[in-house]
């Protein structure tokens, strides 16, 4: 059910069309040949695993910029196994350096994260531009220019008694689009098919990234693109995920471009 889109093989027109179709039908898909190299993804995963090994006193130095953007380890009934570190904004080398300082990252880890940030930012911009092109919009490169990228790294601790339980409750992301490097060995991510209302699992796939569209994509497209409902289930192994959320405008409201609005498609969301 989960479409896998090869970004390296198709013509621009067909690729853009496929992204749009998947975005409208499910609001999520996997991409391969996405331009973030496998070696960089592996180095990033190793870095992430190492950062979670920092002592508690170090991890709590990673404080919130937005509520919930910094260190979280609050085992609760709904999130019994969930630990996360994060920052706002991945597109800002300065913010990333602060994050690295907070967590005593080595010079090598810092370099890996800076490279990863640049590659992910490039992909977020490419996907946004392609979606805009697929609808024939006049503005395909400027609309997302100053949108920040919230960044979160997650560790789902394994406990025998929680296997099969929900690790992250079903939700939609509030930003425009999310790039998820899910664990290449451990599944657990589930997305809802809006046509049936049932959740289906996303099987791990090495060297791929999962893309989820969020509420801002629905607002921007005047209801055409779906904001996928998703959740994470606890599996019988510790799972890591690396999540980059391209949010939306900071100082202004997001309004659907006029191309999305006509007699058949009245404006759904008033800014
Ligand atoms: C989120 O952080 O919004 C998620 O849904 C996490 C997804 C994951 O860890 O795979």
């Amino acid at each position: 059910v989960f479409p896998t889109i090869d970004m390296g093989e198709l013509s621009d027109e067909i690729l853009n069309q496929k992204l749009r179709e998947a975005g409208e039908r499910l609001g999520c898909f996997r991409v391969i040949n996405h331009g973030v190299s496998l070696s960089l993804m592996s180095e990033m995963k190793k870095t992430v695993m190492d950062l979670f090994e920092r002592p508690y006193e170090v991890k709590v130095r990673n404080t919130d910029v937005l509520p919930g953007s910094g260190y979280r380890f609050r085992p609760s009934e709904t999130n019994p196994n969930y630990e996360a570190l994060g920052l706002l904004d991945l597109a800002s080398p300065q913010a990333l350096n602060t994050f690295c300082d907070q967590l005593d990252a080595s010079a090598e880890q810092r370099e890996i994260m800076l490279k990863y940030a640049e590659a992910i930012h490039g992909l977020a911009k490419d996907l946004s531009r392609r979606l805009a092109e697929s609808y024939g919009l006049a503005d395909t490169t400027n609309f997302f220019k100053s949108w920040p990228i919230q960044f979160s790294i997650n560790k789902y601790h394994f406990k025998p008694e929680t296997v099969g339980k929900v690790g992250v409750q079903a939700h939609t992301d509030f930003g425009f689009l999310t790039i998820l490097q899910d664990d290449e060995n451990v599944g657990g991510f589930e997305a809802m098919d809006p046509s049936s209302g049932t959740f289906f699992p996303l099987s791990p796939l090495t060297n791929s990234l999962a893309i989820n569209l969020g509420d801002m994509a629905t607002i921007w497209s005047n209801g055409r693109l779906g904001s996928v409902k998703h959740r994470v289930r606890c599996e019988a192994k510790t799972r890591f995920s690396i999540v980059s959320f391209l949010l939306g405008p900071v100082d202004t409201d997001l309004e659907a471009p006029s191309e999305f609005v006509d007699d058949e498609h009245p404006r759904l969301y008033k800014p």
Side-chain angles (χ1 to χ4, degrees):
V1 243
F2 222 87
T4 298
I5 300 177
D6 188 338
M7 295 184 70
E9 284 288 307
L10 307 167
S11 71
D12 282 334
E13 197 180 338
I14 294 177
L15 171 55
N16 297 352
Q17 200 54 38
K18 279 197 185 284
L19 294 171
R20 172 178 164 172
E21 268 166 30
E24 290 185 353
R25 187 166 62 84
L26 285 172
C28 65
F29 45 89
R30 269 199 189 284
V31 288
I32 55 172
N33 289 318
H34 39 62
V36 186
S37 75
L38 180 58
S39 60
L40 183 55
M41 287 170 66
S42 316
E43 285 170 347
M44 188 63 192
K45 167 101 183 278
K46 269 191 234 148
T47 300
V48 162
M49 291 170 78
D50 186 63
L51 293 179
F52 279 111
E53 295 301 316
R54 298 285 185 275
Y56 182 78
E57 317 79 83
V58 171
K59 288 188 278 199
V60 291
R61 298 202 306 235
N62 174 219
T63 46
D64 285 356
V65 173
L66 282 181
S69 68
Y71 182 58
R72 274 161 289 159
F73 190 24
R74 302 191 203 106
S76 68
E77 211 163 301
T78 51
N79 282 357
N81 298 327
Y82 176 64
E83 188 177 12
L85 294 158
L87 82 122
L88 182 83
D89 148 30
L90 192 65
S92 150
Q94 198 187 345
L96 186 52
N97 270 316
T98 303
F99 177 77
C100 290
D101 291 342
Q102 289 168 337
L103 295 169
D104 293 337
S106 69
E108 194 194 351
Q109 290 175 329
R110 202 175 285 255
E111 192 163 323
I112 291 166
M113 281 191 273
L114 281 165
K115 266 198 211 155
Y116 188 84
E118 199 178 320
I120 289 290
H121 193 195
L123 178 60
K125 287 191 281 192
D126 188 43
L127 289 167
S128 305
R129 179 182 57 80
R130 289 182 179 284
L131 283 170
E133 276 176 12
S134 79
Y135 290 106
L137 298 200
D139 175 12
T140 59
T141 54
N142 259 323
F143 70 98
F144 50 80
K145 222 174 193 166
S146 55
W147 297 359
I149 300 179
Q150 190 174 344
F151 182 66
S152 172
I153 57 180
N154 305 309
K155 178 174 183 178
Y156 299 85
H157 294 259
F158 152 64
K159 291 199 185 106
E161 63 274 20
T162 60
V163 173
K165 296 216 168 121
V166 171
V168 168
Q169 292 283 69
H171 65 284
T172 59
D173 292 338
F174 71 83
F176 187 75
L177 68 81
T178 305
I179 300 177
L180 166 67
Q181 180 179 337
D182 55 328
D183 198 302
E184 73 279 25
N185 302 312
V186 189
F189 184 96
E190 296 181 337
M192 197 181 89
D193 183 341
S195 63
S196 62
T198 52
F199 280 90
F200 60 93
L202 176 66
S203 313
L205 180 65
T206 301
N207 207 2
S208 73
L209 293 164
I211 311 297
N212 305 321
L213 300 184
D215 302 339
M216 287 290 172
T218 304
I219 294 170
W220 171 78
S221 63
N222 201 26
R224 285 171 180 74
L225 294 168
S227 171
V228 65
K229 202 168 219 186
H230 56 282
R231 67 186 182 195
V232 180
R233 232 179 234 284
C234 305
E235 300 239 325
K237 239 179 156 188
T238 298
R239 173 179 186 273
F240 292 90
S241 66
I242 306 171
V243 198
S244 309
F245 304 93
L246 177 66
L247 295 182
V250 182
D251 304 324
T252 53
D253 289 323
L254 184 62
E255 206 179 330
S258 56
E259 289 97 325
F260 286 120
V261 184
D262 56 32
D263 289 347
E264 268 170 61
H265 304 92
R267 197 171 280 284
L268 295 175
Y269 309 95
K270 303 265 186 284

